[in-house]
Amino acid sequence: MAVKKKLYRVWGCRCGARFTVLETDPNKHLVPDRFKCWAKGCRYYVNRDDSLDRGLVAQAIMLYQVLSGLGSEDEKKCGPADVRKMMLGKKVVAVSVEPAPDKHRSFITNLTLEDGKTLHLAPSTRGVTIYKVTHG
Ligand SMILES: [Zn+2]
């Protein structure tokens, strides 16, 4: 019997919200099987069910960023100019680092600078995304 190759991961909520991520998305593992629905007024949980019809395809990284909390308007100022200004010449005083499967590599999820700013990092296909900056 031929194995039907899965192309999508689908999540659905009772409110009708539907999220679809491509099986080829390099960040698909960042989206948990179950998470709190963020649709306005919805109090249910979104559950993974690959048998559902797919909805609009989203990038896993975008879902992950929403799930991680996007932060306030001020915390979201992470454009190139903002990041350069924040980081250049600053001393890193803390780093959240975890071992990777390859012992010569590491995963970094955030960096704290001497002025108390913490840069939150997430993987993306073109390097690391800084999606939020918190203070203190
Ligand atoms: Zn919902």
Side-chain angles (χ1 to χ4, degrees), residues 37-50:
C37 183
W38 59 73
K40 205 173 190 313
C42 180
R43 291 174 296 113
Y44 300 117
Y45 277 80
V46 179
N47 289 291
R48 183 172 166 191
D49 181 355
D50 294 346

Side-chain angles (χ1 to χ4, degrees), residues 29 32 39-41 54 57 65-66 69-71 76 78 82 86 88-89 93 97 108 112 120 127:
H29 62 278
K40 205 173 190 313
R54 73 182 181 95
V57 174
Q65 285 169 12
V66 176
L70 280 174
K76 282 190 282 189
C78 306
D82 298 308
M86 259 183 269
L88 288 179
V93 296
V97 60
I108 292 181
T112 302
H120 298 259

Side-chain angles (χ1 to χ4, degrees), residues 14-58:
R14 283 161 68 178
C15 75
R18 184 76 48 92
F19 305 95
T20 305
V21 167
L22 290 175
E23 197 57 42
T24 52
D25 191 311
N27 302 310
K28 64 188 178 192
H29 62 278
L30 291 175
V31 185
D33 285 347
R34 187 172 186 271
F35 54 86
K36 186 90 179 63
C37 183
W38 59 73
K40 205 173 190 313
C42 180
R43 291 174 296 113
Y44 300 117
Y45 277 80
V46 179
N47 289 291
R48 183 172 166 191
D49 181 355
D50 294 346
S51 68
L52 291 169
D53 287 336
R54 73 182 181 95
L56 276 178
V57 174

